[in-house]
Amino acid sequence: MTNSSTVFPAEWHPQSAVQLTWPHEDTDWRAQLDEVVPCFVAIAREVMRRETALIVCADEREVRTQLGTFDERRAVFRQISTNDTWARDHGGITVLRDGVPEIRDFVFNGWGMKYPACHDNRITGELFKMKTFAPFVKRCDMSPFVLEGGSVESDGRGTLLTTSKCLLSHNRNTHLDRAQVEAALKSFFGAGRVLWLEHGHLAGDDTDGHVDTLARFCDAETIAYVQCTDEADRHFRELHAMEATLRTFRTTGGKPYRLIPLPMADPAFDDGGQLPATYANFLIINGAVLAPFYGSPKDRMAQSILQQTFPGREIVGIDCTALIRQHGSLHCVTMQYPVEAAIRPTGHK
């Protein structure tokens, strides 16, 4: 049974803000800042059209210059030391406990100790020290459990969607077996069940298979997913098996999910290695869906599919060709906070 006092809001739940952790010279973006900063600016501007952008950065003055003219009422800046820019994975995850927001601050260890994360792991705690949230919002230290936001999807009704390759991977929570990880997830998020994807992988993905690159809840009865129809494609076997698994899943009402296939993005390469371009890495915000574009005719195909899936929202394409060069995309660099979290623009900086 679902723990009714704890709810993990779905991404389409009304939002207060979206966090962006801004690239700077001491991140892996050093050689690509001219390419990636315009992408962050585009995302921030679209967010600020509809809600607050919470911008974690090394130099507020520099970011203000990069943004140009913007609505001051829709921007909150926090100068905090960072290793990198993937807010989805180092950002706090908000749940509502008896209607009161609690931000779960899990351990972020650089995707299984692959990359330095000493600063990023502290960002959520620093945001609380800076009084970024309303006084009633509680930070919950979830250590020693390691968890990235991109590894779990919630339908807002007690169902989680995740992948076994990530959640059971080496160097995250290896002291726990599958049953223990599932029990922990249910406890943390008030979930009644966990849907496990055993298959699905994108070449170039260094997250061990985050679900937000593969399959996404669009509502409590709909899942959008990456479909591969080319049997010669290196991804075909894994994604075909993932699709078969999705077809076996049932909603809490016992019905098959409405499955929305998204096109397999055109192959993109950097220094000979394939990059994990994916149209599943979209972000749902108030009144809109921000969709990653990759300079391909398939961009418009994906946009059309998402428009049919989210008929009441504007589908806005963002050029994310720069982001995939560091093996992530649009959803990966963002973290939403529900309206209950009440980001405070007047807080201490």
Side-chain angles (χ1 to χ4, degrees):
M1 294 179 63
T2 302
N3 178 355
S4 59
S5 67
T6 302
V7 175
F8 181 7
E11 196 163 294
W12 53 86
H13 184 89
Q15 296 173 10
S16 170
V18 168
Q19 178 180 329
L20 290 163
T21 303
W22 212 261
H24 56 83
E25 289 186 354
D26 292 327
T27 63
D28 287 344
W29 296 110
R30 179 184 294 115
Q32 303 164 33
L33 284 175
D34 289 346
E35 301 170 47
V36 76
V37 167
C39 178
F40 273 76
V41 168
I43 296 170
R45 285 186 170 278
E46 291 298 335
V47 168
M48 287 189 286
R49 287 181 58 196
R50 302 164 178 90
E51 56 193 271
T52 298
L54 170 58
I55 298 175
V56 174
C57 58
D59 187 333
E60 176 179 339
R61 182 175 300 179
E62 180 179 51
V63 177
R64 284 179 171 274
T65 299
Q66 293 167 346
L67 284 170
T69 302
F70 60 91
D71 187 345
E72 292 279 350
R73 298 169 298 178
R74 291 284 181 88
V76 174
F77 296 88
R78 294 291 183 263
Q79 290 191 175
I80 300 173
S81 296
T82 65
N83 299 103
D84 215 329
T85 58
W86 308 102
R88 179 61 47 181
D89 298 336
H90 60 241
I93 302 176
T94 311
V95 303
L96 303 178
R97 185 170 176 82
D98 296 325
V100 178
E102 294 183 352
I103 297 181
R104 307 280 201 237
D105 190 0
F106 292 93
V107 173
F108 175 62
N109 72 350
W111 306 280
M113 302 183 186
K114 296 183 184 72
Y115 305 99
C118 56
H119 298 307
D120 290 347
N121 187 46
R122 299 179 59 196
I123 289 175
T124 299
E126 292 299 310
L127 288 173
F128 271 87
K129 289 179 182 178
M130 294 179 169
K131 298 180 171 57
T132 303
F133 307 97
F136 54 80
V137 181
K138 179 182 178 182
R139 172 181 173 261
C140 297
D141 184 350
M142 308 305 290
S143 59
F145 200 89
V146 178
L147 186 75
E148 300 109 43
S151 69
V152 288
E153 278 279 303
S154 172
D155 71 348
R157 297 184 181 180
T159 298
L160 298 180
L161 178 65
T162 191
T163 66
S164 59
K165 288 181 181 178
C166 179
L167 267 289
L168 305 180
S169 68
H170 184 61
N171 282 342
R172 283 185 172 86
N173 300 293
T174 50
H175 61 293
L176 302 177
D177 62 23
R178 181 192 184 108
Q180 291 170 317
V181 169
E182 179 166 325
L185 293 175
K186 289 178 177 178
S187 175
F188 297 153
F189 297 117
R193 61 186 189 141
V194 179
L195 302 178
W196 291 87
L197 289 172
E198 308 293 343
H199 300 279
H201 175 73
L202 298 179
D205 171 33
D206 50 13
T207 68
D208 301 303
H210 274 186
V211 72
D212 72 346
T213 68
L214 299 167
R216 305 287 308 285
F217 280 122
C218 301
D219 60 41
E221 299 182 347
T222 305
I223 298 174
Y225 69 99
V226 178
Q227 183 184 61
C228 183
T229 58
D230 181 1
E231 295 186 19
D233 191 300
R234 64 191 295 187
H235 299 93
F236 178 79
R237 179 176 294 182
E238 277 289 305
L239 293 181
H240 185 68
M242 181 186 76
E243 183 178 40
T245 301
L246 288 168
R247 294 188 186 283
T248 69
F249 289 161
R250 296 295 181 265
T251 67
T252 53
K255 299 179 180 179
Y257 279 93
R258 176 191 176 209
L259 298 179
I260 307 295
L262 295 168
M264 185 75 194
D266 288 337
F269 298 88
D270 186 46
D271 290 333
Q274 189 162 350
L275 302 174
T278 168
Y279 291 110
N281 210 242
F282 56 82
L283 173 70
I284 306 169
I285 60 175
N286 294 340
V289 174
L290 305 187
F293 278 10
Y294 304 109
S296 163
K298 290 183 179 178
D299 294 346
R300 297 301 175 186
M301 293 171 55
Q303 184 178 37
S304 177
I305 292 168
L306 290 173
Q307 189 64 79
Q308 295 173 50
T309 307
F310 297 96
R313 297 177 188 266
E314 181 182 7
I315 312 300
V316 181
I318 304 285
D319 182 356
C320 292
T321 52
L323 290 182
I324 59 172
R325 291 185 64 184
Q326 289 294 337
H327 310 282
S329 196
L330 198 156
H331 193 253
C332 302
V333 297
T334 61
M335 173 55 80
Q336 76 283 348
Y337 295 92
V339 66
E340 290 86 353
I343 300 295
R344 298 169 63 194
T346 57
H348 172 68
K349 295 184 180 180

